[in-house]
Amino acid sequence: MGKAKKKEIKSAASQLSALCSIRLKPRKIWQASFIALFSCSFLTSAWILPAVSAERIAFDYGILGEFYISIADLEAFAKEGKITPGFAYYADRFSPKDLAQLRNLLNRSFKISVVTTSTFVNLPIGKQLLKEIGLIIDSPENVSQPALRASLILAAAEPEGLTILSVLRHYTTKTLKLNTKRIFEAVDEATKLLTDTEQVFQTLGQEAKRVATGNSLDLNTFADLSNSGQKKWRKENITVRSDSDRQIEGVVYLPISTDKPAPVVVVAPGLNTNWQNFTYIAEHLADYGFGVAAVNFPGTNARRVNAVLNGLDTPPKDNQWIEQPKIVTRLLDEMERKSQNEESWRGKLDLQRVGIIGQSLGGYTAMAIAGAKVDWQHLQKECQKIGNPEQIDLNPALFWQCQSATNSSPNTDLRDRRIVAAIAINPVTNPVFSQSGMSQFDSPLLIIAGDKDIFAPALDEQLVPFTWLPKNNKYLVLVKNSTHFSFIAEGDSDEFELPINIMGFNPGLARSYLKVLSVAFFETHLAQQNEFRFYLTESYIKRLSKPPLAINLLRSLNASQLNKLIEK
C-alpha cells in the first residue's frame, strides 16, 4: 500500500468518524433514530477496516489483492485494547486518535429490543436503509439484505446489546467481503457534503456580519426577548379526529385577559416527537400574549412510533405524513367552533391571523399549510434515483419522503389561508417541494438550519429551497454547530441514548435563540407590531450570537450565489 493511499485512508477515516459523531458523552433521544446511527457506525467501521465477517474481514485493494483480519483480532482489540500480530499491520497505519475512535465504535452498545429491531427492519424505511447498507457488501442483494436483517435481529438479543461486533458475528456467511470502491465513494460524498456545508455557512456568516457592521441601530435599548413575558394564560385540552377517525390529542393556551382577540401560533412537532418537546416555546409565546395550539400527529408522534416499534400498533400509511397539514386545519376548525359556542373561549383568539412553527416533518407541515405546494410528480421523479446500485444515498430525509412516492398522488391542496406566517426549523422540504411549488410561497417565512444536521442536511433541505422563495419577508437563520435535535427539549416519551454530537452542544442556548426569534417574528408578522422588526436584523442577530452556536441571519440568497459558494 503506497504512502498516498495510506494518507487518503487516514483522512477519509477521520472525516467519516466526524460525520458519524463518534464521541461518547451521551444524552437521551428516541429509539427510532438508533438504526440510522448504527448504519453510519457500520459504514465507519467498514471504512476504517474496510470489511468484516463472522470469522474474518476481507477487503480488496485491486492489484494488491485481498486482505483479511479475523473477528477474533477485532474483539481482542475492542475488549482489551490488544493489538494482535494479525491486526498490527493495519493498526500501524492509523493514528492513536483513529484507533481510539474505532475501539469506542466497536464497543458501543445499543440497548434495543428484538421486537423493536425486527419491526424496524421490516418497515419500508428500514428496508430502504438495509438496501443502502447492503450496497457496501460485495454480494447479491438477495443475499446481503436478508443476512443483514437476520444479523441485526439476532444481535439485538445478545445480553450486551446490539453492537457492531455482534452483528458481524451473526452474519450468515463465513467471509463478508465489502465493496471497497463504494465505500471510498461514500466517504468522498460525505466529506464533500461536510466541506461544502461548512464552507457555505462560514462564507454566508461573514457576509451577514459585514451587513450587520454597517447598521447603526442602538442595540442596547432592546429588551431581552428570551426572558418570559408578563401575560397570563390557562391551558385547555382539545381533541380532533383524523381521516381514519383516530382521536388526536392537543392543547390550547388561552389568554386569560385581552383587549382584543389574540393572534394564534400552532406548534407542529416532527417525526417521533410530541408537542411536549416544544412546551418551552409554547409557554414562552403564551407569556407574550399569543394564543398557542399544539397537536401530536397520529402517524408520526413519539407514542405511535414507539408502539409500532414494540409491536403494539400497526404502521401508518406511507403518505400519512404528507397530509399532516389537514390535521392543523381540523385543529383550527375545532378552535373556531369552541370560540363560537363556548363562553370561556369567546373573543379570546383571532383565528384569521394564525402562525405556525414546526420542526423537521413539522417544518414541512408548517411550509405546506402556509403556501408551499407539494409537487408529487417532482417527488416521484427524484425518488426514482434512489436505489441506484452504484451509489449510496446519505440523506435520511430523502428515504422518508420517498417511501410513499410509488403511491398514487394524495390531495396536495394543503394550504389554509388562516395561516399567514411560518417558522420552519430543520424542515424536510426537498424533493417534496419543487422550485415551482416553493415559488408560490407568499407568506412571511423564517427557516432555521444547522450545519451539523445529518438527518435533514442543510444544503439540500433548507438552503437550496430557500433560494426558490420569492424575495419578500423571508429569513434564513444559520446556526453553526447545531444539529437536527438542538431545538428539541426532552419530552415524556421513551428515549434512547445518542452521542452528544448527534444531540447537539448547549441546547439551552439554541432554545434561547428560538424564544427570541419566535417572539420577534410573530409579533412582527402576526401581531403587526413593527417595533419588533428590528430584532429580525443582521445587527441584532450578531449581538445575540454566542459560542459554540454562532448564529447569523440572511434576508436574501439566490441559486447562483449558493452554487458559487459550493464550487469554490
Side-chain angles (χ1 to χ4, degrees):
M1 190 185 301
K3 290 183 178 180
K5 178 59 70 177
K6 293 176 189 175
K7 183 177 180 181
E8 181 181 355
I9 292 173
K10 288 183 180 181
S11 173
S14 297
Q15 290 284 359
L16 193 55
S17 294
L19 174 70
C20 295
S21 306
I22 308 171
R23 295 185 184 178
L24 297 180
K25 190 176 180 183
R27 283 178 55 84
K28 290 191 172 182
I29 194 61
W30 305 267
Q31 287 186 346
S33 301
F34 101 94
I35 287 186
L37 177 65
F38 179 86
S39 305
C40 194
S41 300
F42 186 87
L43 183 58
T44 305
S45 66
W47 166 248
I48 295 176
L49 296 169
V52 186
S53 75
E55 293 185 7
R56 63 180 184 173
I57 65 171
F59 55 98
D60 189 345
Y61 275 112
I63 61 173
L64 297 178
E66 286 192 347
F67 294 78
Y68 301 92
I69 306 172
S70 74
I71 194 169
D73 288 340
L74 281 182
E75 288 181 319
F77 172 67
K79 294 177 181 178
E80 306 169 31
K82 181 180 179 181
I83 296 178
T84 62
F87 183 49
Y89 176 84
Y90 307 98
D92 289 345
R93 283 152 178 78
F94 293 96
S95 69
K97 179 181 177 181
D98 287 335
L99 285 174
Q101 287 179 330
L102 174 61
R103 189 180 179 197
N104 284 336
L105 173 65
L106 294 174
N107 284 317
R108 184 182 294 172
S109 175
F110 296 91
K111 300 294 184 181
I112 194 78
S113 74
V114 173
V115 172
T116 297
T117 306
S118 178
T119 302
F120 183 85
V121 297
N122 285 288
L123 293 173
I125 193 169
K127 292 177 181 178
Q128 181 61 44
L129 199 54
L130 288 181
K131 190 173 182 179
E132 296 298 321
I133 301 171
L135 291 176
I136 68 172
I137 299 175
D138 204 359
S139 64
E141 182 179 309
N142 62 353
V143 174
S144 62
Q145 288 193 40
L148 275 173
R149 184 179 296 110
S151 61
L152 281 166
I153 295 169
L154 291 170
E158 293 281 357
E160 71 271 21
L162 191 152
T163 68
I164 292 288
L165 289 173
S166 63
V167 171
L168 299 172
R169 281 197 303 269
H170 287 292
Y171 199 81
T172 55
T173 62
K174 181 178 179 180
T175 299
L176 189 157
K177 180 181 176 184
L178 300 193
N179 189 314
T180 315
K181 177 177 178 290
R182 285 179 184 157
I183 294 173
F184 272 103
E185 290 172 349
V187 170
D188 287 344
E189 182 183 348
T191 302
K192 185 178 187 306
L193 178 61
L194 285 171
T195 302
D196 287 348
T197 302
E198 289 176 358
Q199 179 173 289
V200 167
F201 269 62
Q202 180 177 355
T203 305
L204 292 178
Q206 291 170 347
E207 173 61 19
K209 289 177 182 177
R210 184 190 65 79
V211 174
T213 302
N215 197 312
S216 59
L217 287 174
D218 182 6
L219 301 179
N220 293 321
T221 63
F222 284 62
D224 185 353
L225 298 185
S226 66
N227 293 331
S228 297
Q230 303 301 314
K231 301 294 184 180
K232 302 298 183 182
W233 45 267
R234 72 175 192 273
K235 189 166 67 171
E236 292 201 11
N237 295 327
I238 192 169
T239 302
V240 295
R241 296 270 176 186
S242 68
D243 280 338
S244 58
D245 205 36
R246 276 183 179 261
Q247 185 169 289
I248 304 169
E249 302 297 333
V251 66
V252 176
Y253 295 77
L254 284 169
I256 288 179
S257 61
T258 179
D259 296 334
K260 59 182 180 179
V264 175
V265 178
V266 176
V267 177
L271 173 64
N272 205 17
T273 56
N274 296 327
W275 67 260
Q276 289 87 344
N277 297 105
F278 299 94
T279 298
Y280 76 96
I281 202 66
E283 292 184 352
H284 191 70
L285 289 168
D287 285 344
Y288 277 84
F290 292 95
V292 181
V295 68
N296 291 329
F297 296 112
T300 59
N301 70 75
R303 184 177 298 177
R304 178 78 183 278
V305 170
N306 287 330
V308 170
L309 289 175
N310 285 288
L312 302 175
D313 204 342
T314 57
K317 295 185 298 183
D318 286 345
N319 63 354
Q320 190 172 106
W321 66 271
I322 293 174
E323 301 187 1
Q324 283 182 178
K326 293 181 181 178
I327 303 298
V328 177
T329 290
R330 285 197 177 98
L331 175 65
L332 295 179
D333 290 345
E334 177 63 13
M335 291 170 68
E336 283 193 343
R337 187 192 69 77
K338 284 179 171 290
S339 295
Q340 292 169 3
N341 299 327
E342 298 184 18
E343 183 62 31
S344 62
W345 283 63
R346 193 169 290 125
K348 298 289 187 184
L349 304 174
D350 181 356
L351 288 163
Q352 300 308 308
R353 292 196 62 78
V354 180
I356 185 168
I357 180 170
Q359 191 270 340
S360 190
L361 284 178
Y364 149 80
T365 301
M367 292 173 65
I369 199 169
K373 179 74 172 176
V374 170
D375 190 333
W376 196 253
Q377 289 185 336
H378 180 256
L379 177 68
Q380 289 182 316
K381 179 181 177 182
E382 292 300 308
C383 290
Q384 287 175 358
K385 300 174 184 178
I386 288 188
N388 180 347
E390 299 302 321
Q391 181 178 346
I392 298 172
D393 292 298
L394 298 176
N395 183 353
L398 198 59
F399 301 161
W400 188 262
Q401 292 174 81
C402 291
Q403 67 174 317
S404 58
T406 57
N407 299 342
S408 58
S409 174
N411 179 8
T412 58
D413 184 16
L414 301 172
R415 184 166 192 182
D416 190 319
R417 293 284 176 179
R418 291 171 291 192
I419 304 285
V420 297
I423 294 177
I425 309 159
N426 313 116
V428 173
T429 64
N430 188 10
V432 68
F433 302 130
S434 63
Q435 183 171 359
S436 173
M438 289 288 286
S439 67
Q440 300 179 41
F441 200 102
D442 57 5
S443 301
L445 173 66
L446 187 151
I447 294 177
I448 299 176
D451 64 336
K452 298 300 187 290
D453 186 348
I454 64 172
F455 292 93
L459 281 182
D460 288 340
E461 299 297 329
Q462 290 106 50
L463 272 67
V464 169
F466 184 82
T467 68
W468 298 338
L469 289 166
K471 292 183 179 180
N472 295 332
N473 290 325
K474 66 177 183 177
Y475 307 82
L476 177 63
V477 175
L478 306 177
V479 186
K480 285 281 291 180
N481 298 315
S482 71
T483 75
H484 199 67
F485 305 109
S486 291
F487 296 93
I488 303 174
E490 292 185 2
D492 58 1
S493 62
D494 292 337
E495 295 174 320
F496 188 76
E497 290 185 353
L498 287 180
I500 191 68
N501 278 17
I502 296 291
M503 284 298 303
F505 293 93
N506 203 338
L509 179 58
R511 294 164 200 165
S512 175
Y513 288 162
L514 187 58
K515 288 179 179 180
V516 174
L517 290 168
S518 60
V519 170
F521 181 81
F522 289 125
E523 287 282 11
T524 299
H525 295 291
L526 278 188
Q528 298 179 313
Q529 301 295 313
N530 284 331
E531 63 269 26
F532 287 88
R533 189 177 296 273
F534 298 113
Y535 288 92
L536 300 174
T537 61
E538 294 87 346
S539 296
Y540 184 80
I541 297 302
K542 179 184 176 183
R543 175 196 174 192
L544 193 66
S545 181
K546 296 178 182 177
L549 304 180
I551 181 173
N552 290 289
L553 172 67
L554 292 172
R555 296 299 310 276
S556 65
L557 179 68
N558 60 49
S560 176
Q561 291 170 325
L562 182 58
N563 289 334
K564 286 180 181 178
L565 293 177
I566 295 173
E567 292 167 1
K568 278 186 177 180

